[in-house]
Amino acid sequence: MSRATWKAAWRAALALVGAGSLAVGAAILLAGPAAAGTTLGASAAEKGRYFGTAVAANKLSDNTYVTILNREFNSVTPENEMKIDATEPQQGQFSYGAADQIVNHARSRGMSVRGHTLAWHSQQPGWMQNLSGSTLRQAMLNHVTQVATHFRGQVVTWDVVNEAFADGGSGARRDSNLQRTGNDWIEAAFRAARAADATVKLCYNDYNTDDWSHAKTQAVYAMVRDFKQRGVPIDCVGFQSHFNSGSPYPGNYRTTLSSFAALGVDVQITELDIEGASAATYRSVVEDCLAVARCNGVTVWGIRDSDSWRASQTPLLFTSGGAKKPAYDAVLAALNNGTTPPTTTPPPTTTPPPPGPGACTAAVSVNQWTGGFVATVRVTAGSSAITSWTVTIALPSGATVTNAWNASRSADTGTTRWTNVAYNGRVGAGQSTEFGFQANGTAGSLSPTCAAG
Ligand code: 9MR
């Protein structure tokens, strides 16, 4: 929607409120006018989400590649560089060069990093392929511990375990040397990752889990439900979403995302590519994510078609020459027009919500690098819904905000007050919303306070 159209919608909403049609008016007001972003990352950030891509370290010297990466994306997943064969090529000898290169490239530009992957039946180094039983279990746990410790504070999410379920209708675990160490190997990996990094988001990641009616999807769902019930540390589920003629985008994809989210985990689309790159299908995938409050973001599995593991299917958003494809325009439009109705927010009422006194809290996580940092602030409403919020953060001297998303600020330095924008002031009881900012300097320890309207 253009800015002029938004203005018209805003005026219409105000008129409706005036006329007493509050139920309709409130719905429009909640969506609010949002500025249209011009890149995938900026537009996703306006919706409180990220838009990421898989990155290969050996392409960071390719000008076209890096230009698109830096312009469009605000999240990065190393395509192969954090896998077991890359990070522990000899047992006990860790090698982080290529992964660190990607992490530094991303973080120095304010992009967040998804770590992929700590435990997997595939791309194991030779020494690990030859192990079994308790020796393998110990080696796997040591690997999880070492790698999660190395990247602590640098990656925001880990795919702790990748692809542990079998294809087809069995709903069984995939047979592998790791599975043969005992059915509890997955939860053991999650517990080791949590012990190594207390705050990183821990994901289970898989493919062909997009169709809600598939046995594999239901099997993963049952595992996540069980983990949540027993307190196994799991924060999110990654849906790889490699769509093609044999494994098409399912009409019930949104149901899958929202059903997992209802278990109390975040959901993320982690390796999206679509054979033929249908603009309509790309658009639907993004709209499905925007419709689910706990869908944090979308990662495409490569930048240009020529970067894809399935290049002949031309499944990505940019041509091999680096031009935007129709699918790119569709994704950007979906991000700009999408609304984010939190699935758990109460429906609009016929009377305006009371102006307070509701309470809120704010928590901050910081990604610091030499000379700058990104702070992500989570605002959580207390036992009542809130309709506006202001977070106060005292920045240490030398720290200067350079850009921000999802909040407006009173100042760039010193004591900064951050106020909600039109679309995220209302937070349901116990629910959260996030804003963030990038700054030069050193964050130190930030102590945000929150006041609700
Ligand atoms: O894109 C990756 C490709 O470069 C590797 O050769 C391949 C090796 O297993 O892994 C690809 O990435 C996979 C990802 O790690 C897990 N899900 C499936 C992806 C595509 O195969």
Side-chain angles (χ1 to χ4, degrees), residues 79-80 83 116-117 120 122-123 162-163 205 207 240 242 271 301 309:
E79 186 172 359
N80 289 297
K83 292 174 180 174
H116 173 83
T117 176
W120 191 20
S122 184
Q123 279 185 278
N162 196 39
E163 302 176 358
N205 191 52
Y207 67 91
Q240 294 185 9
H242 294 293
E271 302 182 14
W301 205 239
W309 68 302

